[in-house]
Amino acid sequence: MNVHFITQCVVEHEVDCLVLPVFEGEIAKALETRLLQPEDRTILSILVEKKQITGKENFYLPTPMANYESVLILGLGKKEGCASRKLREATGKAAATISAAKKKHLFLELAHTELCAGSFVEGLMLGQYRYDEFRTLDKENPPVAVSEICVHAADGTDLFLAQAHVSRSIVQAESVNWARDLGNAPGNAMTPSILAARASAMGTELGAEVTVLGEKEMTALGMGSLLAVAQGSDQEAKLICLKYSHTKATKTVALVGKGLTFDAGGISIKGAKGMEEMKFDMCGAAAVLGAMRDILHAKPMINVVCVVPSTENLINGKAVKPGDIVKSMSGKTIEIYNTDAEGRLILCDAMTWTLKNHKPDFMIDIATLTGAVITGLGHHCAAIMSKDDEMAAALIAAGDESSDRLWRLPLWEEHTKLMKGKDADLCNIGPGYAGTITAGAFLSVFAEGTRWAHLDIAGTAWNYKGSSCISEKLASGFGVRLLSNWVNKLAE
Ligand code: BES
Ligand code: MN
Ligand code: ZN
């Protein structure tokens, strides 16, 4: 994506779409721009009078006579609130139109250029994402994405700052799309070994310290809980760790992501309907790895470790059985009543390993952990649970900014009590109510007092309806920008 700024008010001739962002009630003023041909201004003014263009919704007008081929009015809605977020969302919605019209070279008229140019690029790149890895493409009619944006900067714009924001937005959007590629890959193309290879390649290229443990090492470390899930699969489980260190860092953050490359449920097998969606059960892993990719580019003044426990949850003759009792790396024993509650079983050992080896000041885990979160919150936001009010508030704020929205659920001692085992220290399922919270309560035991938050993204990792920049049927990349922005803030 090539973005450049100009200060004079002229449209270059190769432009194929002129983009005009407008707020409700400010359209007349926006149409005064000298960039518009008089004929187009007339047509657009009539459409405004007829209330076809209101500033609430986007409006696309092909104008074959003009030197810019088409005009896209981005409807930003009411002027109050966060302009850059509104621009990103409106652009995300318009991305499909721009793709369908095969536009490559946009010209953007922009007020508040410093902040908003980046938001525009972000919305566009996120909105134009496709997953074509396994499709035979029509060679005569290949998909087209925007490659060039010329921004007409408002008077007085700090072009250096604007360009810096744009560069950051491009890397962030690429990181989200990179994470989406991991999430969308089918189970046969995304095994724990493949995930480890992808993560290692990215980490090595960007200067992270990469460690990958196999089952032998995990056995030696006593990760009985993680290995219990893995024993029903022929694919070897992996524990993937990427570490970023800054010489002036005073804090260390750990990001732990659930990496179930396919979750059939094990002996407590899932129903056939919709089971194919369980290829998305590694989207927590994709989120932390995507965030790490972004962090490795941004180089904030903080240490970050990204940890991904990865396995399949399948069935064979060795598979773990309901009632089996295993010993986790922490020493705590766990009764496995339901083999489909496997996410917590792999996360708990990953958390213990992370605490022991990296002693983080903050730890976040992110996981497609419970169907119950969909019952409770639907597909518009993810759940956050934390005993740390300050951390929860900062994460919720980072989510509002990135449109990775979070809603907090309680996490009390009463909930943790519900996870006591009959014959072991813990049971991996609760009494059948508050399923999202009891899963979080189980994990809270393994945070051992570290400042920690748990994000349940089962309703938002795909089928996400909380942002316009995402096709619902595909992996959303939820969490990448949220986590990276939170880490970057913490480093300031
Ligand atoms: N990966 C699933 C959670 C899930 C379900 C994500 C539906 C997205 C959509 C998780 O491993 C799981 O199976 N959880 C069980 C837990 C239960 C057995 C306590 C669930 O939610 O049914
Ligand atoms: Mn499961
Ligand atoms: Zn799962």
Side-chain angles (χ1 to χ4, degrees), residues 385 387 409-420 430-431 433-434 437-442 444:
M385 280 142 275
K387 296 186 177 175
L409 299 178
L411 190 56
W412 298 328
E413 283 316 308
E414 289 88 328
H415 301 118
T416 310
K417 279 202 191 118
L418 296 173
M419 301 309 284
K420 280 217 168 102
Y433 50 78
I437 301 174
T438 53
F442 177 94
S444 73

Side-chain angles (χ1 to χ4, degrees), residues 387-398:
K387 296 186 177 175
D388 188 314
D389 293 344
E390 195 185 319
M391 205 174 157
L395 282 161
I396 290 167

Side-chain angles (χ1 to χ4, degrees), residues 263 265 270 281 313 340-342:
D263 177 15
K270 291 179 181 298
D281 213 19
N313 187 22
D340 199 10
E342 83 299 336

